[in-house]
Amino acid sequence: MELIIEFLGTLAFAISGIRLAAAKHFDWFGGYVVGLATAIGGGTLRDVMLGKTPFWMTDPVYIICTGIALLTVIVFKRHLVRLNNTWFIFDTFGLALFTIAGIQKTLDCGHPFWVAVIMGCITGAAGGVMRDVLINEVPLIFRREIYALACIAGGVAYHICSSPLGMSAELSSLAAFTVVVLVRVLAVKFKITLPHLNDIG
């Protein structure tokens, strides 16, 4: 289950990163680098903090997956250009999937749920930070848009479902995925934002 989630998250995040790199007119290699950084950045940071070998160093499938994402963007370029919100969809799915992967891996290491929620947030959001830095944009997590808070909400939902409610890992994951996606989509649709620091006072 965890491997499937990480693979799907890698594909979704890689496509979102490559799509944005294409909008910045990067070449194929540059797009691949951005896609790879987006896909493995958060998970790498998580594994290092947990004292584990980074997940992509034990299986080349994630490197291959990013290559598949690059080919997907190249082949379906015209369709992706027409769908301006495509990167948002893939980014949101990647955010949700990697949040779940981070939570599950942290819990498997024996850490309490609050650590798992933080690690889920790091796993989901850090790759996006690396992507935005590479394409010379202010990281999404530091703007008004709800991003990391969606991860936290998903982590809390996972904990509530798995601990007090006693649901299975699969159902808890589904609940967390739904919450992350809903929070992101509703926040963007209804322009729900956090105030800037200079807005206070």
Side-chain angles (χ1 to χ4, degrees):
M1 180 69 176
E2 186 177 316
L3 290 176
I4 294 174
I5 289 173
E6 283 197 338
F7 181 83
L8 293 175
T10 299
L11 185 63
F13 257 175
I15 289 176
S16 78
I18 294 167
R19 174 68 185 88
L20 289 179
K24 291 281 189 174
H25 306 293
F26 282 34
D27 62 19
W28 288 12
F29 180 74
Y32 181 86
V33 170
V34 173
L36 185 62
T38 308
I40 71 172
T44 300
L45 183 57
R46 172 204 65 208
D47 288 347
V48 169
M49 293 177 72
L50 290 175
K52 300 287 185 179
T53 301
F55 66 103
W56 58 271
M57 296 177 69
T58 60
D59 193 337
V61 69
Y62 301 102
I63 308 297
I64 297 170
C65 183
T66 304
I68 294 172
L70 177 63
L71 289 175
T72 301
V73 173
I74 292 171
V75 172
F76 298 103
K77 175 183 172 183
R78 292 183 179 179
H79 300 285
L80 293 176
V81 168
R82 291 196 198 103
L83 300 173
N84 291 327
N85 291 326
T86 301
W87 77 268
F88 170 77
I89 295 169
F90 282 111
D91 185 66
T92 300
F93 284 176
L95 185 71
L97 290 167
F98 269 166
T99 297
I100 296 167
I103 290 169
Q104 291 181 336
K105 197 161 194 175
T106 306
L107 291 175
D108 288 343
C109 289
H111 294 286
F113 87 91
W114 60 271
V115 176
V117 171
I118 294 173
M119 285 298 183
C121 184
I122 289 173
T123 308
V129 172
M130 294 182 186
R131 173 201 64 211
D132 292 341
V133 169
L134 287 172
I135 65 173
N136 198 29
E137 292 282 350
V138 176
L140 195 59
I141 194 174
F142 299 138
R143 299 181 227 165
R144 282 191 174 195
E145 205 169 307
I146 303 296
Y147 196 75
L149 284 179
C151 301
I152 295 173
V156 172
Y158 186 100
H159 173 66
I160 291 173
C161 290
S162 64
S163 189
L165 299 182
M167 293 184 181
S168 65
E170 290 77 12
L171 288 176
S172 298
S173 297
L174 180 60
F177 179 89
T178 302
V179 168
V180 173
V181 172
L182 279 178
V183 170
R184 275 285 282 145
V185 171
L186 292 177
V188 170
K189 181 177 176 60
F190 295 104
K191 299 180 180 179
I192 301 171
T193 62
L194 294 175
H196 281 163
L197 284 174
N198 60 6
D199 286 347
I200 297 175

